[in-house]
Amino acid sequence: MNINMLYYLGSKFSSNSFTVNSISLTAEIDDKGKTDAMKLLEGQYESFTFPIVFKHVSGKNHCDLIGTGWGILYLISDRMKKLLEENNLTGWKSFPVEIVDNKGEKIQEVYHGFSIVGRSGSINYKKSEIIEKRLVPNGPLSKYYKGLHPGMENWDGSDFFLPEKHWGIIVTQKAKDILTERQMKNLVFQNLAEIEIGVNAILKN
């Protein structure tokens, strides 16, 4: 699978979009180096009691993909869940959530936690092009990796997947086309061939 046919999936940053924050999830790192958000994203549910409760914090427009206050964790609408099921898209599963308003009352719109269980090998930055850019006019040149190359030799063939030790959601061309054609709201796709990541940011990690 060529990276020109693979995409990062994320949400738009809009003040009008319905957004929630978790009430019970913590940022503590367990003995395996995982936070609650990482475990839920990866579909590791053993340590959780469901439903996971979220509180509405901003926005009124109920979209199909909504942020949770954790950059890697999303909720999906019932409409999007049904679309994924109807089209037999693979590599994901959902978990029960409950969303309450400022008064603690449950909202009527149905959402589901979104986990990614498809996998590939780790990102290989040696395959990326190295480019130089100035962030500001007359500023210093900085080096960037252009193009994100998951280890597709170890890809399980899923439409939604996470590379090893990486928490950015990647989708296939098939999944992107279906989600786009059905006009799922608040989704953003970034082609892996166009992604740029600072070299220093990777070296520090």
Side-chain angles (χ1 to χ4, degrees):
M1 176 77 69
N2 191 291
I3 64 169
N4 288 293
M5 300 179 69
L6 296 171
Y7 301 82
Y8 255 152
L9 171 64
S11 65
K12 297 178 181 178
F13 295 101
S14 171
S15 59
N16 295 323
S17 297
F18 189 87
T19 305
V20 300
N21 276 345
S22 63
I23 291 177
S24 58
L25 303 183
T26 74
E28 293 180 7
I29 298 174
D30 67 10
D31 56 1
K32 295 182 179 179
K34 303 286 181 66
T35 64
D36 282 351
M38 290 176 183
K39 287 185 282 188
L40 286 171
L41 173 64
E42 293 182 341
Q44 300 173 4
Y45 299 156
E46 295 80 8
S47 60
F48 297 97
T49 300
F50 295 106
I52 304 296
V53 181
F54 294 86
K55 183 178 179 180
H56 174 226
V57 291
S58 65
K60 296 182 178 180
N61 295 336
H62 287 275
C63 302
D64 295 297
L65 186 73
I66 65 174
T68 64
W70 299 88
I72 61 173
L73 188 65
Y74 298 97
L75 307 186
I76 60 173
S77 66
D78 202 46
R79 182 173 85 119
M80 181 167 163
K81 180 175 181 287
K82 290 176 180 177
L83 179 66
L84 300 181
E85 292 169 339
E86 290 168 358
N87 288 274
N88 297 314
L89 294 175
T90 59
W92 67 278
K93 64 180 181 179
S94 63
F95 58 88
V97 303
E98 181 176 295
I99 302 175
V100 298
D101 60 21
N102 290 331
K103 297 179 181 179
E105 297 178 358
K106 184 178 178 180
I107 69 163
Q108 296 301 310
E109 288 76 7
V110 178
Y111 282 93
H112 309 270
F114 192 44
S115 299
I116 306 300
V117 295
R119 298 290 185 266
S120 76
S122 59
I123 303 296
N124 185 351
Y125 291 100
K126 292 181 180 179
K127 292 184 176 181
S128 301
E129 176 187 1
I130 295 181
I131 63 172
E132 292 186 328
K133 296 172 60 175
R134 286 186 172 88
L135 296 181
V136 295
N138 301 319
L141 283 171
S142 299
K143 291 185 177 181
Y144 290 81
Y145 291 116
K146 183 174 182 179
L148 199 69
H149 294 263
M152 300 306 287
E153 66 279 1
N154 293 316
W155 175 48
D156 60 11
S158 297
D159 295 300
F160 294 81
F161 64 94
L162 302 173
E164 182 181 355
K165 297 180 181 180
H166 190 85
W167 292 276
I169 301 172
I170 297 177
V171 304
T172 60
Q173 186 75 51
K174 174 186 174 183
K176 175 186 178 293
D177 289 345
I178 290 171
L179 293 165
T180 302
E181 288 168 6
R182 291 291 294 273
Q183 298 181 347
M184 294 291 107
K185 297 179 180 179
N186 204 40
L187 279 67
V188 174
F189 300 95
Q190 186 177 9
N191 190 274
L192 294 197
E194 300 302 320
I195 289 176
E196 297 174 2
I197 300 176
V199 171
N200 286 337
I202 300 303
L203 293 178
K204 289 179 182 178
N205 293 327

